[in-house]
Amino acid sequence: MIFLRGRIIGRLECGRTQLEVSEELGIAQSVISRLWKRFQDDGNVGSRVWGGIILGSRTDLHVQSVTMTGYIYRDVILEQHVRLFRGAMGAEFLFMDDNARPLRANIVDECLQSEDITRMDWPAYSPDLNPIKHV
């Protein structure tokens, strides 16, 4: 259910109409409308959209609809996706994230170091420099 909610919110955030999403996923428009209203009322606190891009390729776009912590980031995103992507790309892999607090937790740094993953440094308060923010 969380995955489906993420797919709906992701499509709406990409500019699709509620009717388009309703028809595409076969879900009543009233359900889409209520979900979107709840998402907007709550703000997207606790939701994080992420994906991977590289020259000529990309990963799927994912919406994580839980409160992001350093542990969840490490266990769900780094261990299940980034580590495998890095393995496929080889030693030249450069990991790019942003300065969000959970992403800078010590356990995240330790995980990246243990997997020999190089993280790109970003100046403080500069999320708009990250091209994934515009995807």
Side-chain angles (χ1 to χ4, degrees), residues 73-115:
Y73 184 67
R74 179 196 64 192
D75 295 345
V76 174
I77 297 173
L78 295 180
E79 300 233 341
Q80 294 180 23
H81 298 280
V82 174
R83 183 173 57 85
L84 298 174
F85 196 61
R86 190 255 186 225
M89 297 308 302
E92 298 299 314
F93 179 75
L94 179 62
F95 181 61
M96 179 188 312
D97 57 7
D98 60 28
N99 288 323
R101 198 170 280 159
L103 283 56
R104 298 298 171 181
N106 289 335
I107 60 167
V108 171
D109 290 338
E110 291 167 6
C111 178
L112 292 173
Q113 287 175 356
S114 72
E115 295 292 333

Side-chain angles (χ1 to χ4, degrees), residues 10-67:
R11 282 174 168 80
L12 293 170
E13 286 186 321
C14 289
R16 292 192 177 121
T17 67
Q18 292 179 16
L19 179 60
E20 289 171 334
V21 174
S22 170
E23 291 173 351
E24 185 176 333
L25 298 177
I27 299 172
Q29 188 175 352
S30 61
V31 173
I32 304 289
S33 179
R34 280 195 306 269
L35 179 63
W36 184 241
K37 177 155 180 31
R38 186 178 315 140
F39 178 78
Q40 289 178 315
D41 288 346
D42 293 344
N44 59 2
V45 175
S47 294
R48 177 170 283 289
V49 177
W50 59 275
I53 56 175
I54 192 164
L55 294 176
S57 186
R58 64 178 171 78
T59 67
D60 291 334
L61 196 61
H62 300 272
V63 177
Q64 190 75 32
S65 298
V66 297
T67 300

